[in-house]
Amino acid sequence: MKHFHILLAIVAVSAGTGLQARAEDKPKDAGDDQITLTSGFNFVTVKGDTDRYREDKWQREGWTGGIEDLRLHRALNKDWTLDANARAIFGNDDYKVQLQVVNPNVGFVRVGFKEFKKYYDDDGGVYLPFPAGAREFELNKDLGIDVIDLTVDFGLTLPNLPKIIVGYEHESRDGTKSMIEWGSVSQAATTRKIFPATKDVDEKVDIFKLSLDHDIKNVHVGDEFNFEHYRNETGRIDDSSMNVTNSPLVPSKLLFVTESFDHDAFYNAFHMDSQLNEYVYWSLGYMFNSLDGGAGFALTAAPLTPGDSLRNSQVDLSQDSHVINANAFLTPWKTLSLYAGLQYEMTDTRALMLGDLATNGVGNVVGHNLTTATTFNDTDKIEGNIGARFTAIPFTTIYVEDKVQREQIDLTDDQAVQLGGSSVFDLNQDARVARNCFTVGLSCSPVKRATFSAQYRRSDTVNEYNNLRVPAGAYPGYITSQKLFSDEVATKLTIRPCSRLTLAFKYQLVATDIKTTFDSTPPNSTFTGNYDLSIYSVSATVTPINRLYLTGLFSFQDTRTSTYRNPASVANDPSLIVQPYIGNVYTILTTAGLVLDNKTDLTATYSYTRTDDFRDNSAVGMPYGIAEQQHSVQVALNRRIRENVSTQLRYAYYEFNSPSSGGFDNVRAHMFGASCTLRF
């Protein structure tokens, strides 16, 4: 809202210019001038977790309203046109303006401004075995991030000359957001991570853009250059130790963390392509980017006595990347299409950190340990794909594609306490990555009123690690390889038994297995993860009478994820038991539209989502999974009063129930609204 005066001025000028155009006696241009203005209001009542409603719906409770949509089109003369689009919703911090002046034979000017607020819930987690009232872990803060985006572009589009665009873009995010890295809450010997945490964010980026495009005979050539200046500062309380028996709650430990990062980055992408003839299309591209940045970090512990702290005095990061690609598309026959592509990427990353680790000794005497850390990462990656599409079989399309990727990563990490001292962490590792993805599918219409499609995809990823120098017994040095195998099947059947009914059935299956090999004698291999997903859905569209249409969708998603459990660790600590995650999600979506008369129509939508994945593991650890239900109803009555005047009355109902949180996150909300649209 702090930038609203800028937006209001632009909106007023745009609307005034358009209204003046209508008032002028210019029959030649009058038919080209158009103004559409929609203004309205909403009133929302919320019972329950208000912050949860804001986060889900991106909308405040109470009164909001203003200009929902303003569109202007004016022919300034026979060559120049003006287009504008604006929105200004008071009470919800939602503003937008877009202006464009264009002459196809000369160029254009585009200006855009957008500002909105993203809301966050400041509640923490819930541990039901804690005594009643333990769910007072709410920060009672109006959390939100203000997002601003400003763009300005100038373009020259003179005939027979290169097309040139010069632009500037500014983006910013400022405010406080919630985190899921929660702090500790204790009662007696039981401690759970459920105390809410927040992060202050101040992020800005400025982007300067230059692009050129030109056609040389039948070859299109282009180049895009971007310079980006980025900076980000954040602050958070990383951990809070609370005791539920204390009133009021007083933290026994706080970790204050501040971080900053900035970089300057150059990106340049050159490309050329050509439709050589009706059978051959090709393209080439090259991109280079260079990034130089720095970072700051400070961590301070604050118990009742001064705590440890860690600060860096210098962090430098540099990265250079080169990417080259080539592609071709061939159609040797009308019923056969072939395509292929090849890309090579080389990236070099260098990082250096100097830090100061301060620790408290006897009598709070502070000692300092100077820490150095260096990282070198060189990556070479090549990938290619080849595919074909065959349509010679009547009413049938068959396609096949194969993608291959090979990657070589050389990583060196070194960390030492005291400058020039011995390393406390020293890693030199080579990694080789091989990925393969094969896809085959078809789409056919065997009968007039039915369409069937099916697809199968097989993906394999093999990561092999050559640990030249690793810390003794430290992660990830004892892992020598990891393999991921994934199979995916998808089918869809669409049936139209009559002109008023369409049915669609869809099924999708994804199965992934993860196998890890450890450095031992002999080498030990085990399945360390398994993921299975099945999605069943059916949808229908019905028009029982000409004035009424109905659509509906039902979907069921079944997910299962299991991980490896170390028997020795579980025997020593039952809280380490990780049960398989089983997730069931049910979704219903329906829409109805009814034409009451020539000037009035009624629309309604209903959505329902349910998940019952909650597993109460509180006896030995933190419960996991979610059990939630969500209902949403929207109804709108539209009435055209005159040819250029229409109105809308609307109502919405939203309900969210969360048994897994003990009902603390439950929400019920009603929205009443109205709007009027004028066309000039």
Side-chain angles (χ1 to χ4, degrees), residues 496-513:
R496 294 172 293 279
C498 63
S499 60
R500 294 185 179 274
L501 176 62
T502 301
L503 299 172
F505 305 88
K506 187 176 181 180
Y507 171 70
Q508 183 179 1
L509 169 67
V510 179
T512 301
D513 293 325

Side-chain angles (χ1 to χ4, degrees), residues 601-654:
D601 63 80
L602 180 69
T603 60
T605 61
Y606 170 72
S607 65
Y608 170 75
T609 302
R610 174 190 170 192
T611 176
D612 56 359
D613 311 332
F614 182 68
R615 302 292 182 270
D616 190 354
N617 195 39
S618 57
V620 294
M622 189 68 189
Y624 61 93
I626 297 175
E628 295 178 347
Q629 294 185 26
Q630 180 175 296
H631 301 265
S632 180
V633 178
Q634 299 182 47
V635 180
L637 178 65
N638 300 283
R639 173 74 176 178
R640 190 173 72 253
I641 299 176
R642 295 182 179 179
E643 189 66 26
N644 63 335
V645 180
S646 60
T647 60
Q648 182 187 80
L649 298 176
R650 50 184 178 256
Y651 167 77
Y653 173 74
Y654 173 77

Side-chain angles (χ1 to χ4, degrees), residues 26 137 177 279 328 408 433 456 509 527 560 640 656:
K26 291 185 178 181
F137 307 126
K177 62 179 292 186
Y279 306 107
Q408 174 71 38
V433 181
Y456 169 74
L509 169 67
F527 279 97
R560 178 184 175 87
R640 190 173 72 253
F656 177 82

